[in-house]
Amino acid sequence: MAPLGLSNAVARITVRPDLGAGLTSFDVMHKGGWTPVFRSVDPETEQPFGLSNILLIPFSGRVSGGGFAFDGTFHPVERNMPTEKYPIHGSGFSSVWTVTEKTNETVLLTLEGKGPGPFRYDASMTYRLEGTTLVMELTATNRAGIALPYGLGFHPWFVRDRNTCLTASSDLAWLEHTDHLPRSVEAVADHPELDFNTLRKLPSSWVNNWFAGWDRNARIDWPDRGLSVIIEASEHLDQYVLFSPSGDADFFCFEPVSHPVDAFNLPEGPIAHGMTRLEPGAEMRASARFSVRATDA
């Protein structure tokens, strides 16, 4: 299945229906040329983690312990990526989706999702361009015969340069073990390098943390490029993950999500940590807007 393009006069994206309905680009017209907002990658890539955006459904992050217990039943969850020690990010990001509707600026994709573990679900995903704003809308409907905890999220890779800055509220940050599972949750005030409540340059070292206490609004600034992007997330997406391997990397990830890594197995259980209990046939929706603005006019 060939990559699918959407465009208007000022923005464009490329969608891979055959690779998790992910993106390989999100560009805007700036200073007379196309300028990447999400990292631009090989449009023919076969690696989900080589994309510009992936969809996190029916959960985000890793799952420890070989699975999870819910309503008194243990549900095994198999590894789904050969490069990963634990199951990660559900199944939507690596599945083939069906293009249901398309215009120049909008596409609707659907999926009959299976796994990992007990998950069976129907999903729909809409990408829509509104001027220089990219809108993403993701829906999951539980088709398993039992109630299960569901989570959703978006995982874009943004362009990073030496002066990229982030503003995103939070009061708590999860620190990680070397295997990227949660180690402890601590006050952001005790970790100034992770405090983005006011504008701050991205850390120069490795960062891979989940943040709570987000007001669902964030801003990324590229002062050297004269661009910014305003991020607005829907009700369920009140947490975020920030990932960047180093100050020399040409990308970083800012991921609006509904729950922390391994929420299934954290104390008090998944629902206490932001996942949604879906009875059979029940639906969960999440959306995010990425609005790009020129700042050097």
Side-chain angles (χ1 to χ4, degrees):
M1 188 182 303
L4 182 68
L6 304 182
S7 66
N8 57 31
V10 291
R12 66 184 186 184
I13 63 172
T14 307
V15 187
R16 284 287 302 274
D18 64 320
L19 192 59
L23 299 182
T24 61
S25 68
F26 170 34
D27 307 327
V28 296
M29 184 60 67
H30 182 57
K31 296 182 178 179
W34 290 110
T35 300
V37 178
F38 295 174
R39 68 176 181 181
S40 296
V41 301
D42 178 1
E44 304 292 338
T45 181
E46 297 301 321
Q47 300 298 323
F49 294 153
L51 291 167
S52 305
N53 178 67
I54 62 173
L55 308 179
L56 308 178
I57 179 173
F59 59 83
S60 166
R62 294 167 172 85
V63 182
S64 70
F68 63 93
F70 194 68
D71 286 350
T73 299
F74 182 79
H75 299 286
V77 179
E78 68 275 12
R79 289 174 58 213
N80 56 345
M81 293 291 287
T83 58
E84 294 290 332
K85 181 178 180 180
Y86 303 105
I88 186 169
H89 295 332
S91 54
F93 79 104
S94 57
S95 298
V96 177
W97 292 59
T98 299
V99 178
T100 303
E101 300 176 13
K102 182 186 180 299
T103 68
N104 289 339
E105 296 181 274
T106 303
V107 63
L108 170 64
L109 305 107
T110 56
L111 172 68
E112 294 183 10
K114 181 178 180 180
F119 292 99
R120 304 292 184 272
Y121 61 94
D122 290 340
S124 66
M125 175 64 199
T126 299
Y127 289 108
R128 183 169 65 254
L129 296 175
E130 298 177 356
T132 56
T133 296
L134 172 59
V135 182
M136 303 185 192
E137 299 171 337
L138 181 60
T139 301
T141 302
N142 181 13
R143 296 303 183 197
I146 55 173
L148 289 169
Y150 273 72
L152 299 176
F154 303 107
H155 189 317
W157 283 258
F158 289 90
V159 170
R160 176 175 181 169
D161 60 23
R162 61 176 184 168
N163 289 318
T164 303
C165 297
L166 173 66
T167 309
S169 62
S170 65
D171 51 24
L172 296 172
W174 282 87
L175 308 184
E176 64 171 359
H177 287 291
T178 55
D179 62 359
H180 310 305
L181 292 177
R183 173 168 60 88
S184 62
V185 61
E186 301 183 12
V188 168
D190 295 335
H191 296 273
E193 75 282 4
L194 299 178
D195 187 349
F196 300 97
N197 284 285
T198 56
L199 183 145
R200 176 182 292 276
K201 285 180 62 174
L202 294 177
S204 59
S205 58
W206 171 278
V207 57
N208 188 30
N209 300 87
W210 159 77
F211 295 81
W214 186 35
D215 65 4
R216 298 183 285 110
N217 292 274
R219 175 170 172 147
I220 298 166
D221 283 279
W222 296 277
D224 294 350
R225 301 201 297 161
L227 280 178
S228 67
V229 59
I230 306 299
I231 301 169
E232 303 166 277
S234 63
E235 180 181 2
H236 284 298
L237 305 183
D238 59 358
Q239 307 170 34
Y240 67 87
V241 176
L242 179 65
F243 169 67
S244 187
S246 73
D248 296 328
D250 61 2
F251 71 87
F252 74 102
C253 299
F254 182 90
E255 309 162 36
V257 296
S258 60
H259 61 275
V261 172
D262 204 23
F264 297 100
N265 294 305
L266 291 177
E268 289 83 49
I271 307 306
H273 289 281
M275 300 195 78
T276 297
R277 179 190 180 94
L278 290 188
E279 299 291 339
E283 180 183 272
M284 179 183 182
R285 293 176 175 267
S287 63
R289 298 174 61 88
F290 303 85
S291 301
V292 184
R293 303 285 185 266
T295 58
D296 57 358

